[in-house]
Amino acid sequence: MLIAAALCNDASLIPPGEADAQWTPLGDPTEAALLTAAAKVGCTPDELVRTHPRVDEVPFDSLRKRMTTIHRTPSGTIEIYLKGAPEMVLDAALLNESPASLVHARKEAAALSAEGYRVLAIASGSSTCIPVPTEESESGLRLLGLTAISDPPKEAATATVQACRRAGITPVLITGDHPATARAIAERVGILTRADATMPSRVATGKELAAGQIPDPTRVRVFARTTPQQKLDIIQAWRARGEVTAMTGDGVNDGPALRQADIGVAMGRRGTEVARQAADLVLADDELTSVISAVEEGRRVYANIRRFLVYALAGGAAEILVMLIGPMLGLALPLRAGQILWINLLTHGLTGVAMGAEPVSPHAMRRAPRPPQQHVLGDGLWQRVLRLSILVTAASLAASLWVRHSGGPWQTVLFIALLAAQLGVALGLRERLFTRQNLFLPAAVLTAAGLGAAALYVPFLADLLDTSSPSWTGIALAAAAGLISFGAARTESWLARTADQTPAAP
Protein backbone atom coordinates (compact mmCIF):
# COMPACT_ATOMS: atom_id res chain seq x y z
CA MET A 1 0.00 0.00 0.00
CA LEU A 2 2.83 2.41 0.82
CA ILE A 3 4.56 1.58 -2.45
CA ALA A 4 1.35 2.52 -4.28
CA ALA A 5 1.01 5.69 -2.21
CA ALA A 6 4.63 6.68 -2.97
CA LEU A 7 4.27 6.10 -6.71
CA CYS A 8 0.81 7.63 -7.12
CA ASN A 9 2.27 10.85 -5.85
CA ASP A 10 3.43 14.23 -7.18
CA ALA A 11 5.32 15.41 -4.08
CA SER A 12 9.00 14.95 -3.38
CA LEU A 13 11.41 14.96 -0.44
CA ILE A 14 14.53 17.09 -0.66
CA PRO A 15 17.54 15.61 1.18
CA PRO A 16 19.08 17.63 4.01
CA GLY A 17 21.75 20.10 2.99
CA GLU A 18 24.68 21.56 4.85
CA ALA A 19 22.64 24.33 6.47
CA ASP A 20 19.59 22.19 7.25
CA ALA A 21 19.73 18.76 8.89
CA GLN A 22 16.13 17.90 8.05
CA TRP A 23 14.43 16.57 4.97
CA THR A 24 12.24 19.17 3.28
CA PRO A 25 8.89 18.24 1.70
CA LEU A 26 8.03 19.79 -1.64
CA GLY A 27 4.46 19.68 -2.86
CA ASP A 28 1.14 18.80 -1.29
CA PRO A 29 1.56 18.13 2.46
CA THR A 30 -0.71 15.05 2.31
CA GLU A 31 1.34 13.47 -0.45
CA ALA A 32 4.58 14.43 1.30
CA ALA A 33 3.33 12.63 4.43
CA LEU A 34 2.70 9.49 2.37
CA LEU A 35 6.20 9.66 0.91
CA THR A 36 7.66 10.03 4.39
CA ALA A 37 5.72 7.03 5.69
CA ALA A 38 6.91 4.94 2.75
CA ALA A 39 10.53 5.99 3.26
CA LYS A 40 10.41 5.09 6.96
CA VAL A 41 9.60 1.46 6.14
CA GLY A 42 12.30 1.20 3.51
CA CYS A 43 10.37 2.10 0.36
CA THR A 44 12.76 4.77 -0.89
CA PRO A 45 10.79 7.12 -3.20
CA ASP A 46 13.73 7.80 -5.53
CA GLU A 47 14.42 4.09 -5.94
CA LEU A 48 10.76 3.36 -6.62
CA VAL A 49 10.59 6.04 -9.28
CA ARG A 50 13.71 4.61 -10.94
CA THR A 51 12.46 1.02 -10.97
CA HIS A 52 8.80 1.87 -11.67
CA PRO A 53 8.82 4.82 -14.10
CA ARG A 54 5.50 6.55 -14.67
CA VAL A 55 4.26 6.13 -18.22
CA ASP A 56 0.81 7.72 -17.98
CA GLU A 57 -1.60 9.23 -15.50
CA VAL A 58 -5.09 10.54 -14.84
CA PRO A 59 -4.35 13.62 -12.71
CA PHE A 60 -6.26 14.58 -9.60
CA ASP A 61 -9.01 17.17 -9.88
CA SER A 62 -11.51 18.54 -7.40
CA LEU A 63 -14.48 16.85 -9.08
CA ARG A 64 -13.10 13.31 -9.36
CA LYS A 65 -11.25 13.57 -6.03
CA ARG A 66 -8.89 10.80 -7.04
CA MET A 67 -5.65 10.30 -8.95
CA THR A 68 -4.37 7.40 -11.03
CA THR A 69 -0.84 6.72 -12.26
CA ILE A 70 0.41 3.95 -14.57
CA HIS A 71 3.92 2.50 -14.17
CA ARG A 72 6.11 0.03 -15.98
CA THR A 73 7.76 -2.57 -13.75
CA PRO A 74 11.26 -4.06 -14.24
CA SER A 75 9.63 -7.22 -15.64
CA GLY A 76 7.82 -5.17 -18.29
CA THR A 77 4.31 -5.46 -16.91
CA ILE A 78 2.06 -2.46 -16.28
CA GLU A 79 1.00 -1.53 -12.73
CA ILE A 80 -1.89 0.82 -12.02
CA TYR A 81 -2.09 2.75 -8.73
CA LEU A 82 -5.03 4.84 -7.59
CA LYS A 83 -5.63 6.93 -4.47
CA GLY A 84 -8.41 9.33 -3.52
CA ALA A 85 -11.35 10.16 -1.29
CA PRO A 86 -12.96 6.99 0.10
CA GLU A 87 -16.43 7.88 -1.17
CA MET A 88 -15.01 8.20 -4.71
CA VAL A 89 -12.74 5.14 -4.61
CA LEU A 90 -14.82 2.63 -2.64
CA ASP A 91 -17.09 2.08 -5.61
CA ALA A 92 -17.95 -1.21 -7.29
CA ALA A 93 -17.40 0.44 -10.66
CA LEU A 94 -13.72 0.89 -9.78
CA LEU A 95 -12.93 -1.97 -7.41
CA ASN A 96 -13.24 -5.70 -7.92
CA GLU A 97 -14.23 -6.34 -4.32
CA SER A 98 -17.17 -8.01 -2.66
CA PRO A 99 -20.05 -5.80 -1.50
CA ALA A 100 -19.35 -6.82 2.09
CA SER A 101 -15.72 -5.68 1.80
CA LEU A 102 -16.78 -2.32 0.38
CA VAL A 103 -19.35 -1.80 3.12
CA HIS A 104 -16.75 -2.65 5.77
CA ALA A 105 -14.20 -0.26 4.22
CA ARG A 106 -16.75 2.56 4.07
CA LYS A 107 -17.57 2.08 7.76
CA GLU A 108 -13.90 2.16 8.68
CA ALA A 109 -13.34 5.29 6.60
CA ALA A 110 -16.32 7.02 8.22
CA ALA A 111 -15.12 6.09 11.71
CA LEU A 112 -11.62 7.46 11.04
CA SER A 113 -13.03 10.64 9.50
CA ALA A 114 -15.23 11.20 12.55
CA GLU A 115 -12.08 11.18 14.68
CA GLY A 116 -10.65 14.03 12.61
CA TYR A 117 -8.33 12.02 10.35
CA ARG A 118 -7.86 12.76 6.67
CA VAL A 119 -8.62 9.41 5.03
CA LEU A 120 -7.52 8.17 1.62
CA ALA A 121 -8.32 4.88 -0.10
CA ILE A 122 -5.56 3.23 -2.12
CA ALA A 123 -6.05 0.61 -4.83
CA SER A 124 -3.94 -1.11 -7.48
CA GLY A 125 -4.22 -3.26 -10.56
CA SER A 126 -2.10 -4.72 -13.32
CA SER A 127 -2.24 -4.94 -17.08
CA THR A 128 -0.19 -6.23 -19.96
CA CYS A 129 -0.41 -2.93 -21.83
CA ILE A 130 -1.15 0.71 -21.22
CA PRO A 131 -4.96 1.18 -21.24
CA VAL A 132 -6.32 3.46 -23.96
CA PRO A 133 -7.94 5.75 -23.07
CA THR A 134 -6.15 6.08 -19.75
CA GLU A 135 -9.43 6.36 -17.83
CA GLU A 136 -10.09 2.70 -18.72
CA SER A 137 -7.43 1.79 -16.16
CA GLU A 138 -9.81 2.80 -13.33
CA SER A 139 -11.76 -0.45 -13.21
CA GLY A 140 -11.30 -3.92 -11.79
CA LEU A 141 -8.76 -2.71 -9.22
CA ARG A 142 -7.91 -4.30 -5.89
CA LEU A 143 -8.33 -2.34 -2.65
CA LEU A 144 -5.03 -2.19 -0.81
CA GLY A 145 -6.23 -0.28 2.24
CA LEU A 146 -7.01 3.04 3.88
CA THR A 147 -4.55 5.64 5.15
CA ALA A 148 -5.51 7.88 8.05
CA ILE A 149 -3.45 11.04 8.19
CA SER A 150 -3.47 13.17 11.31
CA ASP A 151 -3.41 16.88 10.50
CA PRO A 152 -4.38 18.37 13.88
CA PRO A 153 -5.05 22.07 14.32
CA LYS A 154 -2.25 24.09 15.82
CA GLU A 155 -2.36 24.74 19.54
CA ALA A 156 -3.23 28.38 18.96
CA ALA A 157 -6.16 27.58 16.64
CA THR A 158 -8.78 27.42 19.40
CA ALA A 159 -7.64 30.71 20.94
CA THR A 160 -7.62 32.29 17.48
CA VAL A 161 -11.21 31.23 16.79
CA GLN A 162 -12.30 32.53 20.20
CA ALA A 163 -10.55 35.84 19.51
CA CYS A 164 -12.38 36.08 16.20
CA ARG A 165 -15.72 35.54 17.88
CA ARG A 166 -15.01 38.17 20.54
CA ALA A 167 -14.09 40.63 17.80
CA GLY A 168 -17.33 39.99 15.92
CA ILE A 169 -15.59 38.02 13.15
CA THR A 170 -17.54 34.95 12.01
CA PRO A 171 -15.19 31.98 11.39
CA VAL A 172 -16.24 29.66 8.57
CA LEU A 173 -14.45 26.42 7.65
CA ILE A 174 -14.38 25.53 3.94
CA THR A 175 -12.50 22.35 3.12
CA GLY A 176 -12.26 19.56 0.62
CA ASP A 177 -12.09 16.97 3.41
CA HIS A 178 -14.79 14.49 4.38
CA PRO A 179 -17.80 16.03 6.23
CA ALA A 180 -17.07 13.96 9.33
CA THR A 181 -13.45 15.17 9.38
CA ALA A 182 -14.56 18.76 8.90
CA ARG A 183 -17.12 18.46 11.70
CA ALA A 184 -14.56 16.95 14.10
CA ILE A 185 -11.98 19.65 13.41
CA ALA A 186 -14.57 22.45 13.60
CA GLU A 187 -15.79 21.16 16.93
CA ARG A 188 -12.24 20.79 18.21
CA VAL A 189 -11.27 24.40 17.50
CA GLY A 190 -14.62 25.94 18.48
CA ILE A 191 -16.07 26.83 15.07
CA LEU A 192 -18.91 24.50 16.01
CA THR A 193 -20.02 23.85 19.57
CA ARG A 194 -20.86 20.27 20.44
CA ALA A 195 -24.54 21.11 20.28
CA ASP A 196 -24.15 22.62 16.82
CA ALA A 197 -21.99 19.77 15.58
CA THR A 198 -24.82 17.29 16.10
CA MET A 199 -27.03 19.22 13.70
CA PRO A 200 -26.57 18.00 10.11
CA SER A 201 -27.62 21.38 8.75
CA ARG A 202 -24.57 22.97 10.34
CA VAL A 203 -22.21 21.07 7.99
CA ALA A 204 -22.94 21.40 4.28
CA THR A 205 -21.28 19.49 1.46
CA GLY A 206 -20.36 20.58 -2.00
CA LYS A 207 -22.93 18.14 -3.35
CA GLU A 208 -25.68 19.87 -1.37
CA LEU A 209 -24.52 23.26 -2.60
CA ALA A 210 -24.54 22.07 -6.21
CA ALA A 211 -28.04 20.66 -5.78
CA GLY A 212 -29.36 23.96 -4.42
CA GLN A 213 -30.19 22.42 -1.03
CA ILE A 214 -28.45 25.26 0.83
CA PRO A 215 -30.56 28.37 0.12
CA ASP A 216 -28.38 30.67 2.25
CA PRO A 217 -24.70 29.64 2.50
CA THR A 218 -24.04 32.40 5.04
CA ARG A 219 -26.04 30.46 7.64
CA VAL A 220 -23.63 27.51 7.46
CA ARG A 221 -20.36 27.49 9.38
CA VAL A 222 -18.69 24.35 7.97
CA PHE A 223 -18.47 23.25 4.33
CA ALA A 224 -16.90 19.96 3.26
CA ARG A 225 -16.00 18.33 -0.05
CA THR A 226 -16.18 21.67 -1.81
CA THR A 227 -14.81 22.60 -5.23
CA PRO A 228 -12.85 25.79 -6.03
CA GLN A 229 -15.95 27.25 -7.67
CA GLN A 230 -18.03 26.57 -4.58
CA LYS A 231 -15.47 28.31 -2.38
CA LEU A 232 -15.86 31.28 -4.69
CA ASP A 233 -19.65 31.09 -4.44
CA ILE A 234 -19.52 31.09 -0.63
CA ILE A 235 -17.31 34.19 -0.62
CA GLN A 236 -19.66 35.94 -3.01
CA ALA A 237 -22.68 35.04 -0.85
CA TRP A 238 -21.10 36.74 2.16
CA ARG A 239 -20.13 39.78 0.11
CA ALA A 240 -23.68 40.02 -1.24
CA ARG A 241 -24.80 40.46 2.36
CA GLY A 242 -22.55 43.50 2.63
CA GLU A 243 -19.96 41.76 4.80
CA VAL A 244 -16.20 42.20 4.56
CA THR A 245 -14.63 38.81 3.83
CA ALA A 246 -11.16 37.46 4.51
CA MET A 247 -10.11 34.13 3.02
CA THR A 248 -7.12 32.09 4.17
CA GLY A 249 -5.65 29.33 2.04
CA ASP A 250 -2.48 27.72 0.75
CA GLY A 251 -3.43 25.58 -2.24
CA VAL A 252 -3.93 26.08 -5.94
CA ASN A 253 -7.65 25.42 -5.48
CA ASP A 254 -7.86 28.36 -3.07
CA GLY A 255 -6.62 30.85 -5.68
CA PRO A 256 -9.99 32.03 -7.07
CA ALA A 257 -11.50 32.53 -3.59
CA LEU A 258 -8.37 34.33 -2.35
CA ARG A 259 -8.63 36.73 -5.28
CA GLN A 260 -12.39 37.28 -4.84
CA ALA A 261 -12.32 37.93 -1.08
CA ASP A 262 -11.89 41.47 0.20
CA ILE A 263 -8.69 40.30 1.90
CA GLY A 264 -6.97 37.17 0.62
CA VAL A 265 -4.49 35.70 3.13
CA ALA A 266 -2.03 33.09 1.91
CA MET A 267 0.47 30.99 3.84
CA GLY A 268 4.02 32.00 3.03
CA ARG A 269 5.82 28.79 3.99
CA ARG A 270 3.62 25.94 2.86
CA GLY A 271 1.47 27.94 0.46
CA THR A 272 1.70 27.42 -3.28
CA GLU A 273 2.90 30.15 -5.60
CA VAL A 274 -0.62 30.44 -7.02
CA ALA A 275 -2.05 31.15 -3.56
CA ARG A 276 0.64 33.71 -2.75
CA GLN A 277 0.14 35.55 -6.03
CA ALA A 278 -3.65 35.62 -5.62
CA ALA A 279 -3.57 36.87 -2.04
CA ASP A 280 -3.41 40.41 -0.69
CA LEU A 281 -1.50 39.37 2.42
CA VAL A 282 1.09 36.61 2.85
CA LEU A 283 1.81 35.25 6.34
CA ALA A 284 5.53 34.65 6.65
CA ASP A 285 5.02 32.46 9.76
CA ASP A 286 1.87 30.59 8.59
CA GLU A 287 0.25 31.43 11.94
CA LEU A 288 -3.40 32.47 12.00
CA THR A 289 -2.69 34.40 15.19
CA SER A 290 -0.91 36.87 12.92
CA VAL A 291 -4.27 37.59 11.28
CA ILE A 292 -5.72 38.52 14.68
CA SER A 293 -2.73 40.75 15.33
CA ALA A 294 -3.29 42.41 11.96
CA VAL A 295 -6.97 43.01 12.78
CA GLU A 296 -6.00 44.51 16.13
CA GLU A 297 -3.42 46.77 14.50
CA GLY A 298 -5.96 47.85 11.88
CA ARG A 299 -8.42 48.81 14.58
CA ARG A 300 -5.70 50.72 16.43
CA VAL A 301 -4.78 52.70 13.32
CA TYR A 302 -8.43 53.45 12.53
CA ALA A 303 -9.10 54.57 16.11
CA ASN A 304 -6.05 56.85 16.04
CA ILE A 305 -7.15 58.37 12.74
CA ARG A 306 -10.55 59.17 14.22
CA ARG A 307 -8.95 60.50 17.42
CA PHE A 308 -6.70 62.79 15.43
CA LEU A 309 -9.63 64.00 13.33
CA VAL A 310 -11.55 64.96 16.48
CA TYR A 311 -8.50 66.79 17.81
CA ALA A 312 -7.48 68.52 14.59
CA LEU A 313 -10.96 69.45 13.37
CA ALA A 314 -12.06 70.69 16.79
CA GLY A 315 -8.93 72.84 17.09
CA GLY A 316 -9.17 74.16 13.54
CA ALA A 317 -12.87 74.93 13.91
CA ALA A 318 -12.19 76.70 17.22
CA GLU A 319 -9.60 78.95 15.55
CA ILE A 320 -12.10 79.84 12.82
CA LEU A 321 -14.83 80.55 15.36
CA VAL A 322 -12.49 82.73 17.41
CA MET A 323 -11.66 84.82 14.34
CA LEU A 324 -15.37 85.12 13.41
CA ILE A 325 -16.92 85.68 16.83
CA GLY A 326 -14.10 87.73 18.39
CA PRO A 327 -14.83 90.95 16.42
CA MET A 328 -18.50 90.67 17.42
CA LEU A 329 -17.39 90.79 21.05
CA GLY A 330 -15.15 93.81 20.57
CA LEU A 331 -11.91 91.95 19.82
CA ALA A 332 -11.02 93.71 16.58
CA LEU A 333 -8.18 91.37 15.58
CA PRO A 334 -8.36 88.31 17.85
CA LEU A 335 -5.15 86.69 16.60
CA ARG A 336 -2.37 87.66 14.24
CA ALA A 337 -1.36 85.43 11.34
CA GLY A 338 1.95 84.49 12.99
CA GLN A 339 0.19 83.48 16.19
CA ILE A 340 -2.24 81.21 14.31
CA LEU A 341 0.63 79.58 12.43
CA TRP A 342 2.55 79.07 15.66
CA ILE A 343 -0.46 77.39 17.29
CA ASN A 344 -0.94 75.13 14.27
CA LEU A 345 2.74 74.22 14.21
CA LEU A 346 2.74 73.17 17.85
CA THR A 347 -0.62 71.39 17.88
CA HIS A 348 -0.88 69.73 14.46
CA GLY A 349 2.85 69.18 14.16
CA LEU A 350 4.42 67.71 17.29
CA THR A 351 1.28 66.70 19.13
CA GLY A 352 -0.65 65.52 16.09
CA VAL A 353 2.14 63.18 15.00
CA ALA A 354 2.45 61.79 18.54
CA MET A 355 -1.24 60.90 18.60
CA GLY A 356 -0.67 58.43 15.77
CA ALA A 357 1.43 56.26 18.10
CA GLU A 358 -1.31 55.76 20.69
CA PRO A 359 -1.54 52.09 21.81
CA VAL A 360 -4.45 49.85 20.99
CA SER A 361 -7.50 50.04 23.24
CA PRO A 362 -7.96 47.13 25.69
CA HIS A 363 -11.50 46.82 24.32
CA ALA A 364 -10.55 46.94 20.62
CA MET A 365 -10.95 43.19 20.07
CA ARG A 366 -14.24 42.99 21.97
CA ARG A 367 -16.09 45.39 19.70
CA ALA A 368 -18.18 44.55 16.68
CA PRO A 369 -16.62 45.48 13.32
CA ARG A 370 -17.68 48.84 12.00
CA PRO A 371 -20.03 48.74 9.01
CA PRO A 372 -18.06 49.03 5.74
CA GLN A 373 -20.29 51.86 4.55
CA GLN A 374 -19.73 53.93 7.68
CA HIS A 375 -17.92 57.22 6.97
CA VAL A 376 -14.80 57.98 8.95
CA LEU A 377 -16.63 60.99 10.41
CA GLY A 378 -19.67 58.88 11.22
CA ASP A 379 -20.77 57.20 14.45
CA GLY A 380 -21.10 60.55 16.23
CA LEU A 381 -17.60 61.87 15.43
CA TRP A 382 -18.63 65.15 13.81
CA GLN A 383 -20.95 65.87 16.75
CA ARG A 384 -17.99 65.44 19.10
CA VAL A 385 -15.98 67.80 16.92
CA LEU A 386 -18.75 70.39 17.07
CA ARG A 387 -19.15 70.22 20.85
CA LEU A 388 -15.42 70.40 21.56
CA SER A 389 -14.83 73.25 19.11
CA ILE A 390 -17.60 75.32 20.71
CA LEU A 391 -16.24 74.69 24.21
CA VAL A 392 -12.63 75.48 23.23
CA THR A 393 -13.83 78.68 21.55
CA ALA A 394 -15.91 79.71 24.55
CA ALA A 395 -13.14 79.01 27.09
CA SER A 396 -10.50 80.88 25.07
CA LEU A 397 -12.68 83.91 24.38
CA ALA A 398 -13.83 84.04 28.01
CA ALA A 399 -10.23 84.18 29.22
CA SER A 400 -9.40 86.91 26.69
CA LEU A 401 -12.46 89.01 27.53
CA TRP A 402 -11.70 88.76 31.25
CA VAL A 403 -8.19 90.13 30.73
CA ARG A 404 -9.43 92.79 28.27
CA HIS A 405 -11.91 94.00 30.89
CA SER A 406 -9.02 94.56 33.31
CA GLY A 407 -6.90 96.28 30.67
CA GLY A 408 -4.36 93.47 30.21
CA PRO A 409 -2.80 91.96 27.03
CA TRP A 410 -5.94 90.16 25.93
CA GLN A 411 -4.58 89.07 22.54
CA THR A 412 -1.64 87.29 24.16
CA VAL A 413 -3.95 85.60 26.66
CA LEU A 414 -6.24 84.50 23.84
CA PHE A 415 -3.18 83.11 22.04
CA ILE A 416 -1.95 81.02 25.00
CA ALA A 417 -5.50 80.07 26.08
CA LEU A 418 -6.31 78.67 22.64
CA LEU A 419 -3.01 76.77 22.60
CA ALA A 420 -3.57 75.40 26.13
CA ALA A 421 -7.14 74.38 25.27
CA GLN A 422 -6.04 72.37 22.24
CA LEU A 423 -3.25 70.68 24.19
CA GLY A 424 -5.78 69.83 26.89
CA VAL A 425 -7.98 68.19 24.24
CA ALA A 426 -5.02 66.15 23.00
CA LEU A 427 -4.42 64.67 26.45
CA GLY A 428 -8.11 64.28 27.21
CA LEU A 429 -8.77 62.16 24.14
CA ARG A 430 -6.32 59.44 25.22
CA GLU A 431 -7.84 56.02 25.77
CA ARG A 432 -5.61 55.38 28.78
CA LEU A 433 -4.42 58.57 30.36
CA PHE A 434 -1.44 57.27 32.33
CA THR A 435 -0.18 54.55 30.00
CA ARG A 436 3.56 54.34 29.43
CA GLN A 437 3.23 52.85 25.96
CA ASN A 438 3.29 56.20 24.18
CA LEU A 439 5.38 58.61 26.24
CA PHE A 440 5.92 60.58 23.04
CA LEU A 441 2.49 62.22 23.39
CA PRO A 442 2.91 63.75 26.87
CA ALA A 443 6.45 64.71 25.88
CA ALA A 444 5.10 66.42 22.75
CA VAL A 445 2.46 68.26 24.80
CA LEU A 446 5.11 69.48 27.27
CA THR A 447 7.37 70.55 24.41
CA ALA A 448 4.52 72.40 22.73
CA ALA A 449 3.66 74.10 26.03
CA GLY A 450 7.30 75.09 26.46
CA LEU A 451 7.49 76.53 22.96
CA GLY A 452 4.23 78.36 23.63
CA ALA A 453 5.78 79.91 26.75
CA ALA A 454 8.89 80.77 24.72
CA ALA A 455 6.66 82.80 22.40
CA LEU A 456 5.87 85.00 25.39
CA TYR A 457 9.25 85.36 27.10
CA VAL A 458 11.92 84.94 24.43
CA PRO A 459 12.43 88.43 22.98
CA PHE A 460 13.03 87.28 19.42
CA LEU A 461 9.84 85.18 19.32
CA ALA A 462 7.84 87.77 21.23
CA ASP A 463 8.75 90.39 18.64
CA LEU A 464 8.05 88.02 15.76
CA LEU A 465 4.66 86.95 17.09
CA ASP A 466 3.77 90.30 18.65
CA THR A 467 3.14 88.95 22.15
CA SER A 468 3.80 90.37 25.59
CA SER A 469 4.20 88.95 29.07
CA PRO A 470 0.79 88.34 30.65
CA SER A 471 -0.02 88.72 34.32
CA TRP A 472 -0.42 85.76 36.61
CA THR A 473 -4.16 86.19 36.25
CA GLY A 474 -3.88 85.82 32.48
CA ILE A 475 -1.73 82.71 32.85
CA ALA A 476 -4.22 81.21 35.32
CA LEU A 477 -7.11 81.92 32.95
CA ALA A 478 -5.25 80.26 30.06
CA ALA A 479 -4.49 77.25 32.25
CA ALA A 480 -8.16 77.11 33.24
CA ALA A 481 -9.14 77.03 29.57
CA GLY A 482 -6.78 74.08 29.09
CA LEU A 483 -8.20 72.21 32.10
CA ILE A 484 -11.79 72.83 31.02
CA SER A 485 -11.00 71.53 27.54
CA PHE A 486 -9.18 68.54 29.02
CA GLY A 487 -12.21 67.66 31.14
CA ALA A 488 -14.57 68.04 28.20
CA ALA A 489 -12.36 65.81 26.01
CA ARG A 490 -12.20 63.16 28.77
CA THR A 491 -15.98 63.22 29.00
CA GLU A 492 -16.37 62.90 25.24
CA SER A 493 -13.85 60.06 25.17
CA TRP A 494 -15.67 58.24 27.97
CA LEU A 495 -19.04 58.65 26.28
CA ALA A 496 -17.62 57.36 22.99
CA ARG A 497 -16.09 54.30 24.69
CA THR A 498 -19.31 53.55 26.54
CA ALA A 499 -21.32 53.68 23.31
CA ASP A 500 -18.70 51.63 21.46
CA GLN A 501 -18.39 48.80 23.98
CA THR A 502 -21.37 46.91 22.60
CA PRO A 503 -20.38 43.21 22.74
CA ALA A 504 -19.58 41.76 19.33
CA ALA A 505 -22.00 39.21 17.93
CA PRO A 506 -20.59 35.63 18.10
Side-chain angles (χ1 to χ4, degrees):
M1 185 178 69
L2 288 175
I3 290 174
L7 288 171
C8 186
N9 201 305
D10 286 332
S12 59
L13 298 176
I14 301 176
E18 296 180 359
D20 190 359
Q22 294 182 341
W23 287 74
T24 304
L26 182 64
D28 182 78
T30 298
E31 293 193 328
L34 293 172
L35 282 183
T36 304
K40 286 181 177 180
V41 298
C43 302
T44 308
D46 290 342
E47 180 67 18
L48 289 174
V49 170
R50 187 182 65 80
T51 58
H52 295 71
R54 184 184 302 186
V55 295
D56 209 341
E57 66 177 317
V58 183
F60 174 88
D61 67 56
S62 56
L63 295 178
R64 290 167 18 93
K65 292 184 172 58
R66 63 177 182 263
M67 170 185 182
T68 301
T69 57
I70 301 174
H71 302 261
R72 191 180 301 278
T73 66
S75 61
T77 62
I78 298 298
E79 292 289 334
I80 302 164
Y81 300 116
L82 179 148
K83 78 174 190 302
E87 64 267 30
M88 304 301 290
V89 176
L90 301 176
D91 187 342
L94 274 69
L95 303 181
N96 185 20
E97 300 286 350
S98 67
S101 297
L102 293 178
V103 170
H104 178 66
R106 293 188 190 108
K107 289 182 179 180
E108 289 295 325
L112 291 169
S113 297
E115 295 179 16
Y117 289 103
R118 179 174 297 167
V119 183
L120 294 176
I122 300 176
S124 70
S126 60
S127 176
T128 57
C129 61
I130 300 175
V132 179
T134 312
E135 286 77 4
E136 292 294 330
S137 63
E138 296 180 338
S139 63
L141 303 179
R142 179 171 60 95
L143 178 65
L144 297 178
L146 303 173
T147 66
I149 301 173
S150 176
D151 187 12
K154 294 185 178 180
E155 294 181 359
T158 302
T160 301
V161 171
Q162 292 175 350
C164 286
R165 291 188 178 277
R166 287 194 299 269
I169 301 170
T170 302
V172 178
L173 175 62
I174 310 175
T175 178
D177 286 338
H178 190 277
T181 304
R183 180 183 284 110
I185 296 298
E187 182 179 330
R188 192 178 303 173
V189 301
I191 294 177
L192 286 180
T193 64
R194 289 191 176 272
D196 292 334
T198 60
M199 301 171 58
S201 61
R202 301 297 289 176
V203 180
T205 64
K207 184 178 180 180
E208 293 171 337
L209 282 172
Q213 298 176 9
I214 309 298
D216 184 5
T218 63
R219 296 181 62 84
V220 179
R221 297 295 174 263
V222 179
F223 297 88
R225 290 297 191 226
T226 54
T227 66
Q229 179 59 46
Q230 288 169 340
K231 293 180 181 181
L232 192 63
D233 293 340
I234 295 168
I235 293 292
Q236 291 174 334
W238 279 97
R239 296 191 67 188
R241 275 185 48 175
E243 303 289 348
V244 176
T245 59
M247 168 75 184
T248 63
D250 56 10
V252 174
N253 292 339
D254 297 323
L258 287 170
R259 175 61 67 185
Q260 180 66 27
D262 294 291
I263 307 169
V265 183
M267 303 300 162
R269 292 182 178 177
R270 68 174 185 271
T272 61
E273 185 64 22
V274 171
R276 290 196 294 267
Q277 290 295 329
D280 304 292
L281 178 69
V282 178
L283 300 181
D285 57 4
D286 283 9
E287 295 289 344
L288 284 179
T289 52
S290 299
V291 175
I292 302 301
S293 299
V295 172
E296 185 179 57
E297 179 65 11
R299 294 188 176 188
R300 183 191 75 85
V301 170
Y302 186 76
N304 284 346
I305 290 174
R306 285 172 56 87
R307 184 180 294 112
F308 174 78
L309 286 175
V310 172
Y311 167 65
L313 293 177
E319 293 171 12
I320 295 173
L321 289 175
V322 164
M323 298 301 292
L324 292 176
I325 298 175
M328 301 179 188
L329 301 177
L331 307 177
L333 183 61
L335 292 172
R336 297 186 180 277
Q339 294 171 348
I340 296 175
L341 291 174
W342 192 249
I343 291 174
N344 289 338
L345 176 65
L346 298 183
T347 56
H348 296 177
L350 287 174
T351 311
V353 171
M355 293 187 76
E358 280 292 273
V360 65
S361 166
H363 310 288
M365 295 303 288
R366 292 196 291 271
R367 298 171 182 166
R370 299 188 183 276
Q373 67 275 11
Q374 185 183 89
H375 195 274
V376 70
L377 296 179
D379 197 25
L381 187 139
W382 70 267
Q383 292 93 331
R384 296 168 60 195
V385 170
L386 183 61
R387 289 191 293 265
L388 284 175
S389 62
I390 292 175
L391 187 136
V392 169
T393 301
S396 302
L397 288 175
S400 178
L401 290 172
W402 186 299
V403 173
R404 178 177 179 273
H405 181 72
S406 61
W410 60 266
Q411 190 180 61
T412 297
V413 171
L414 178 59
F415 164 69
I416 59 173
L418 189 57
L419 175 61
Q422 293 193 47
L423 295 179
V425 170
L427 288 177
L429 290 176
R430 300 194 82 184
E431 180 84 10
R432 289 174 286 176
L433 185 59
F434 299 107
T435 181
R436 296 183 179 181
Q437 290 184 276
N438 182 24
L439 296 177
F440 185 38
L441 180 57
V445 170
L446 288 175
T447 302
L451 292 174
L456 307 181
Y457 300 107
V458 174
F460 167 73
L461 289 176
D463 292 339
L464 180 66
L465 300 176
D466 199 13
T467 61
S468 57
S469 300
S471 64
W472 286 108
T473 301
I475 295 175
L477 289 171
L483 290 174
I484 292 172
S485 300
F486 169 80
R490 291 302 295 168
T491 302
E492 289 287 348
S493 182
W494 177 79
L495 291 174
R497 288 197 303 271
T498 302
D500 206 22
Q501 285 179 10
T502 304

